[in-house]
Amino acid sequence: MSDTRDPRDGAMSVEAISSDRVETDDNAWTRRLVLFLRVMAVISILKGLYHWGLVTGFIGGDEEAFENQAMAWQAATVYFAVIELVAAVGLWLATPWGAVVWLTTVVSMAVIELMFPGIYGGSLTVVVFEAIMLATYLVLAWMAARERPP
């Protein structure tokens, strides 16, 4: 018995599945923005886990133990251990609150590095990296917003 179906019964034919669809580039910047947010989510997860490793003692020796650090270092480390993972979830889901939390982490780290160098050492490299990521996000968000109709 042949498996022929009436084309009017609503079933999708093999031709419809395998037809050459023209991919439009209408949302190219939005896709790039989401990809960037996902990459930043992975980086935020790694940073958050790093900070949790410092808190729990999995990273560092006895002299770098969490309880041997200054109160400012402890507070900053716990703050980043929590907020980085929260930002990672929001970034992965590409939600507006995720971008806001991530922007909070970027600004917080830059402020700590620049204005309180005694906590993490005042690394200008970290500030430059955070500034580049912030600028990249702003450009991608701007271009994604431009491709949406008013």
Side-chain angles (χ1 to χ4, degrees):
M1 178 160 115
S2 171
D3 185 32
T4 58
R5 294 184 184 174
D6 185 12
R8 294 171 293 192
D9 68 356
M12 190 179 267
S13 68
V14 174
E15 291 83 21
I17 294 172
S18 65
S19 67
D20 294 329
R21 295 183 186 171
V22 177
E23 290 290 327
T24 62
D25 225 18
D26 292 344
N27 296 324
W29 287 106
T30 301
R31 285 194 311 273
R32 290 175 188 141
L33 175 62
V34 170
L35 177 63
F36 175 78
L37 293 175
R38 297 264 168 100
V39 169
M40 293 313 300
V42 171
I43 292 171
S44 289
I45 287 172
L46 295 174
K47 287 168 56 177
L49 292 177
Y50 170 77
H51 284 101
W52 274 114
L54 293 172
V55 170
T56 59
F58 284 117
I59 297 174
D62 290 338
E63 61 277 349
E64 296 109 18
F66 182 79
E67 59 271 1
N68 295 337
Q69 300 297 327
M71 184 65 72
W73 185 92
Q74 290 176 348
T77 302
V78 169
Y79 169 77
F80 286 113
V82 173
I83 200 166
E84 288 285 358
L85 295 179
V86 172
V89 171
L91 288 171
W92 189 264
L93 297 174
T95 61
W97 64 264
V100 170
V101 174
W102 176 73
L103 290 171
T104 303
T105 66
V106 168
V107 171
S108 299
M109 184 58 80
V111 166
I112 285 177
E113 291 289 351
L114 290 175
M115 303 184 97
F116 303 102
I119 295 177
Y120 287 136
S123 173
L124 195 56
T125 305
V126 172
V127 175
V128 169
F129 176 75
E130 299 284 355
I132 290 170
M133 293 301 103
L134 176 60
T136 303
Y137 169 75
L138 292 174
V139 167
L140 289 172
W142 175 266
M143 296 306 288
R146 289 184 65 206
E147 72 185 5
R148 286 186 227 124

